Amino acid sequence: MEDGGWVHVPRPAEKDYWNPTAVQENSNGEPSSSQPLKLIFTSPAKYWTDAIPIGNGRLGAMIWGGVAKETLQLNEDTLWTGIPGNYTNPNAPAALSDVRKLVDDGQFTQATKEAIKLSDHPSEVYQLLGDMILEFDTSHLKFDEETYHRELDLDTATTTVKYSVGDIEYKREYFASYPDQALVTRLSGSEKGSLSFTLYMDSKMHHHSFVQENNQIHFQGSCPGKRIPPRLNAGDNPKGIQFSALLNLQIGGDTGVISDVDGRKLKVEGADWAVILLVASSSFDGPFTNPIDSKKDPSSDCKTAMTSLRKLSYADIHAHHLDDYQSLFRRVSLELWKSSKNVLGSAHLNAEKQIAADESVPFTGSENTTVSTAERVKSFQTDEDPSLVQLLFQYGRYLLISCSRPGTQVANLQGLWNKDIEPPWDGAQHLNINLQMNYWPALSCNLKECQEPLFDYISFLSINGTKTAKVNYEANGWVVHQVSDIWAKTSPDRGEAVWAFWPMGGAWLCTHLWEHFVYSMDTDFLKNKAYPLLEGCVQFLLSWLIKGPGRYLETNPSTSPEHMFIAPDGKQASVSYSTTMDTSIIKEVFSEILSAAEILGRTDDELIQKVREAQQQLPPTKISRDGTIMEWALDFIDPDIHHRHLSHLFGVFPGHTITLQKNPDLSKAAENTLTKRGEVGPGWSTMWKAALWARLHRKEEAYRMVKHLFVLVDPAHESEYEGGLYSNLFTSHPPFQIDANFGFSAAIAEMLVQSTVKDLYLLPALPRDKWPNGCVKGLKARGGVTVNVCWKEGDLHEVGLWSTDGNRIQRLHYGGRTVNASLLSCKIYTFDSELRCIRTYSLSQVASC
């Protein structure tokens, strides 16, 4: 397991396929970056949100970096409470009829009360695996605090902890391997025989552990079969998901020994180095298999995995990890530099002068890598360090790679990482913004493979959702409401309609299927995966739409997620008809299936004919008397104008039914809506606002929302904050929710590149005075195009484009200019600041070319 001095040679990075004629360079003639892509900590974690997250999509850990006692808090993404459920309510049709009549009669307050009869039981709860603990001897309590260093290197997805005790430097390295499905820890001391520690496992879950073969710890446990806290000797709990973990310990050095302590701990004495491998498995066998019927044996699976893993050296495992991770992470680079000039106050330079290296200087405010990331966040409101924006952008990509990979579960409310038996909001998938935002950067930020778990999940939801639609609403197709879980729950949540009743979750998810196609242009995916799911979704929407008293079809009952209005009787209500979000999502899905049908030659299908007819009868988006987008079909008074949700702006972003080019009046109303909503809100709301302002090409406002996120949250007083960042750059609601981490990356991409299948908008919301110089490489655009853009002193410098999936014709837009560009497959095209093609060459690095 000792690495033996091997050096890993990485494959060429996709971001390096194209290089501009000039970028900011350092003294070595290499592209400069003002900061390495590392999260830096100068002390061990005090709170969970100080710990460093690592993950391979399925298995994750939070690394505390303690000195005398190190803790790796562990998660496995299939560990949930519960068993497959019945997501139907035979009493719902009668309740639905009563609610609809009350809405038709304008009795919205009473309809809101009656709609509670449409609610169901809550989702199940995401659980944890346990802790891997290393205890060192008391000499480590005397470590030199000035030597302590803990970091997460985003480029290698490796965490390192270093510190010194006397003359001995101790080093720990951690990573989570996707190809070898293991968590890997390597410990070493700078002097021979200096490494001694005790290793064991613990958990808040029902569990037991035992030592075997004198170098392995077997760990076994179970999840509750109900969403109640686990109780010893509780006979009324059904059998829940069972799980196992297996630790394998190997040491090096002439004097090192391993001994068994109490049959459940391993003690290492006098070693030079140690490598700990951890694998884990569960009995979960899909959302439709009851754990009691599962044929999976997690203990046996762990043993099999470990047997294969032990045949590999540490260097092999690490090389596999780097090859896999960097093939994804290195597709995109972002570099932002401040300027030696006042960009807004000076005239633009000519092209020759723009290329001169001395006209742009890297930001040097925080180049000392001993400065903690938390301190950099604290100072951002003053120094606005652009390299911290780079770091948080890439951190979002790192987190998505780490918590959502092919074959894993979908990223939940906390991605993968959770320390609680009862996490906030159950750690469950919330479908009225949060789950969708988790996957916003997957396409634009060049990580389409990370979206595969979402498509698997939608398929599962469609199966349960078909039953819910039929029984609850006597409707065709499939439906999903606001909250779900690992068992693909599709019925409404429990409680009040304002949060429990919202049957548009599945429809919103279906827009991700279409987006995957327009980014990849993969007609096989469209035909075999996306279209069948879109069909079922549209069948439900056509059933759900009913003829209103006027000429329009309407949704009834209808809510705007988690938001109330003042009903005509002066009381707060949430249930009415045809909220703007309902209508916007339906318009989006109808447009998508019509486009898909045209591509697949299915325009004569009966379903498509019905969609065309219904599309003409959908109500228009309306502007209220104060000039904002109306959130409800009637111009109700809003009791909370700063509400966190921006549901009525779905058509602007992530939708496409309101655009600057086609709907200038509605776009202006959308701006007014955002201004009225204000800037205060949880992290995910802040990032939705940033993306909305970017889509509207309002660069100052988009940047202001970006800046708004850079507030350091004190975990001891987190309830006093709205949004912000913890010291490990997890985003805060509060408490921690991962959606804003992903929303941030997506919003930055939206500020730099926007697209349709035929149009490419370059630097549409670039804050020129904040990021006057920069380069982004490897972003994806609709139409299957890879986009690379560099700019100097606030103006476009060069653009590199390529496609590997067929020839494309793109309209390039920048600064009021529009140019048609013909892109041949597997050729790289470079355009100058005037959008003139100045060179082309073959893309020979890609296997498909």
Side-chain angles (χ1 to χ4, degrees), residues 472-488:
N472 288 33
Y473 308 128
E474 298 174 337
N476 299 320
W478 61 274
V479 63
V480 184
H481 293 78
Q482 179 183 336
V483 182
S484 191
D485 54 29
I486 198 171
W487 306 109

Side-chain angles (χ1 to χ4, degrees), residues 550-628:
R551 64 187 182 90
Y552 295 118
L553 295 173
E554 65 181 31
T555 58
N556 177 7
S558 179
T559 61
S560 192
E562 303 182 35
H563 200 190
M564 308 286 281
F565 57 86
I566 303 298
D569 62 4
K571 298 178 181 179
Q572 290 197 15
S574 64
V575 174
S576 61
Y577 66 94
S578 297
T579 60
T580 299
M581 191 182 211
D582 277 9
T583 305
S584 298
I585 291 175
I586 293 170
K587 287 177 180 177
E588 196 82 20
V589 174
F590 279 3
S591 174
E592 289 169 355
I593 197 168
L594 290 176
S595 297
E598 187 171 345
I599 292 167
L600 298 177
R602 302 189 60 171
T603 55
D604 294 332
D605 288 5
E606 182 181 357
L607 179 69
I608 299 304
Q609 301 299 330
K610 290 180 179 179
V611 170
R612 286 200 190 97
E613 294 171 7
Q615 189 182 45
Q616 303 304 314
Q617 301 175 65
L618 293 174
T621 302
K622 294 184 286 187
I623 300 175
S624 68
R625 53 183 175 269
D626 67 356
T628 61

Side-chain angles (χ1 to χ4, degrees), residues 43 112 115 120 143 215 264 285 336 374 531 584 622 641 697 724 733 798:
S43 62
T112 299
D120 195 18
F143 77 101
N215 73 330
R264 53 181 297 268
D285 198 16
L336 303 171
Y531 197 83
S584 298
K622 294 184 286 187
I641 61 171
H697 296 190
H733 182 286
E798 280 187 0

Side-chain angles (χ1 to χ4, degrees), residues 395-627:
Y395 188 52
R397 298 182 67 246
Y398 163 84
L399 290 173
L400 188 58
I401 296 169
S402 300
C403 76
S404 183
R405 301 291 292 273
T408 73
Q409 299 304 304
V410 74
N412 62 49
L413 203 60
Q414 296 184 181
L416 173 62
W417 301 276
N418 166 44
K419 63 180 173 59
D420 299 312
I421 288 174
E422 298 180 87
W425 299 288
D426 301 328
Q429 295 86 325
H430 285 59
L431 277 59
N432 63 5
I433 175 60
N434 314 100
L435 177 59
Q436 289 87 347
M437 186 179 283
N438 283 0
Y439 288 95
W440 280 1
L443 295 171
S444 60
C445 296
N446 208 341
L447 296 171
K448 68 178 182 180
E449 297 91 338
C450 294
Q451 241 187 178
E452 288 188 23
L454 179 64
F455 303 145
D456 295 337
Y457 191 58
I458 296 172
S459 296
F460 294 143
L461 291 170
S462 72
I463 294 171
N464 282 338
T466 299
K467 301 171 187 175
T468 304
K470 183 177 181 180
V471 175
N472 288 33
Y473 308 128
E474 298 174 337
N476 299 320
W478 61 274
V479 63
V480 184
H481 293 78
Q482 179 183 336
V483 182
S484 191
D485 54 29
I486 198 171
W487 306 109
K489 170 182 161 60
T490 52
S491 56
D493 196 11
R494 66 177 168 186
E496 302 293 334
V498 65
W499 67 77
F501 185 82
W502 188 70
M504 292 291 144
W508 188 347
L509 287 177
C510 278
T511 65
H512 286 250
L513 296 164
W514 175 252
E515 286 288 89
H516 185 85
F517 166 72
V518 294
Y519 271 92
S520 67
M521 306 306 289
D522 183 347
T523 53
D524 288 337
F525 171 84
L526 181 64
K527 178 181 178 181
N528 300 319
K529 187 71 170 183
Y531 197 83
L533 291 167
L534 277 168
E535 275 188 307
C537 173
V538 165
Q539 287 168 354
F540 170 75
L541 295 177
L542 290 172
S543 296
W544 186 246
L545 287 164
I546 57 177
K547 191 69 176 177
R551 64 187 182 90
Y552 295 118
L553 295 173
E554 65 181 31
T555 58
N556 177 7
S558 179
T559 61
S560 192
E562 303 182 35
H563 200 190
M564 308 286 281
F565 57 86
I566 303 298
D569 62 4
K571 298 178 181 179
Q572 290 197 15
S574 64
V575 174
S576 61
Y577 66 94
S578 297
T579 60
T580 299
M581 191 182 211
D582 277 9
T583 305
S584 298
I585 291 175
I586 293 170
K587 287 177 180 177
E588 196 82 20
V589 174
F590 279 3
S591 174
E592 289 169 355
I593 197 168
L594 290 176
S595 297
E598 187 171 345
I599 292 167
L600 298 177
R602 302 189 60 171
T603 55
D604 294 332
D605 288 5
E606 182 181 357
L607 179 69
I608 299 304
Q609 301 299 330
K610 290 180 179 179
V611 170
R612 286 200 190 97
E613 294 171 7
Q615 189 182 45
Q616 303 304 314
Q617 301 175 65
L618 293 174
T621 302
K622 294 184 286 187
I623 300 175
S624 68
R625 53 183 175 269
D626 67 356

Side-chain angles (χ1 to χ4, degrees), residues 331-345:
R331 291 175 180 176
V332 174
S333 67
L334 172 64
E335 293 186 291
L336 303 171
W337 305 296
K338 283 194 174 182
S339 176
S340 58
K341 297 180 178 298
N342 179 348
V343 177
L344 296 180

Side-chain angles (χ1 to χ4, degrees), residues 749-763:
E750 193 73 14
M751 293 169 74
L752 301 177
V753 174
Q754 295 176 23
S755 63
T756 69
V757 173
K758 294 293 186 182
D759 295 274
L760 191 58
Y761 298 89
L762 304 169
L763 308 179

